[in-house]
Amino acid sequence: MGDILLDSTRGELEILEFTVNGVYFGINVAKVQEIIKAPEITSTPLASKGVLGCILVRNDIYSVIDLNIILYDKKTDMESQPYIILCNFNNQKNSFVVENVLGIRRVAWSEMKKPSNILNSEDVSSIVGIITLDDQIISVLDFEKIVTDINPANGLKIDELKA
């Protein structure tokens, strides 16, 4: 049981590795509540780009964001039964459609490299770091930025930090 919690003095984090459009991405496990197969999604009229609608999971409503639309401007084939990563951060319940979930990787913070300016323009990209594991490049995404870019009112506000 103690192995699940990370020793912060070692400077480690756990990354959930997944694919979108055949490309490897990651999210800090601390943001993830659960991973499920995509259930039926209730569409939302006039939703922002990338928002497919919402789902009900154990009496909690999650907005559903298709990372394929956000990252590649093309909709995920929902017939392929993709996965949904349920997240809860900034006092919001959001979920993200991904192709496949590959597992959890423990990495040292020192292994996370800052993306180059060519790959990552601060005002455009949602990549916060690059990790190479087993000759595989994994781009770690800033899910808060993705949600805030969809709707700026969803961003964390200074007065919320004081609570």
Side-chain angles (χ1 to χ4, degrees), residues 108-162:
W109 277 104
S110 61
E111 293 179 56
M112 180 133 27
K113 307 296 181 220
K114 183 179 177 185
S116 76
N117 291 338
I118 293 172
L119 294 176
N120 192 30
S121 168
E122 275 186 35
D123 45 333
V124 177
S125 181
S126 295
I127 298 172
V128 293
I130 305 276
I131 299 170
T132 55
L133 295 169
D134 305 326
D135 294 327
Q136 186 62 53
I137 296 173
I138 302 167
S139 298
V140 179
L141 295 174
D142 183 346
F143 281 76
E144 288 91 341
K145 181 177 183 336
I146 291 169
V147 170
T148 301
D149 285 351
I150 290 170
N151 183 350
N154 289 331
L156 189 62
K157 295 159 189 68
I158 297 296
D159 58 337
E160 292 173 353
L161 294 174
K162 297 174 186 173

Side-chain angles (χ1 to χ4, degrees), residues 44-70:
T44 307
L46 303 174
S48 299
K49 180 181 175 185
V51 178
L52 301 181
C54 58
I55 57 174
L56 183 65
V57 179
R58 286 182 292 290
N59 291 324
D60 285 326
I61 298 172
Y62 291 81
S63 58
V64 180
I65 298 166
D66 187 345
L67 286 178
N68 211 5
I69 294 173
I70 300 299

Side-chain angles (χ1 to χ4, degrees), residues 5 23 37 62-63 76 81 84 90 100 120 124 131 145-146:
L5 298 175
V23 178
K37 278 293 209 177
Y62 291 81
S63 58
T76 297
Q81 297 189 328
I84 292 190
N90 295 352
N100 203 1
N120 192 30
V124 177
I131 299 170
K145 181 177 183 336
I146 291 169

Side-chain angles (χ1 to χ4, degrees), residues 17-37:
E17 185 181 357
F18 58 89
T19 59
V20 174
N21 200 37
V23 178
Y24 293 82
F25 292 97
I27 179 175
N28 187 334
V29 169
K31 298 177 192 312
V32 177
Q33 281 189 301
E34 185 178 352
I35 302 157
I36 61 173
K37 278 293 209 177

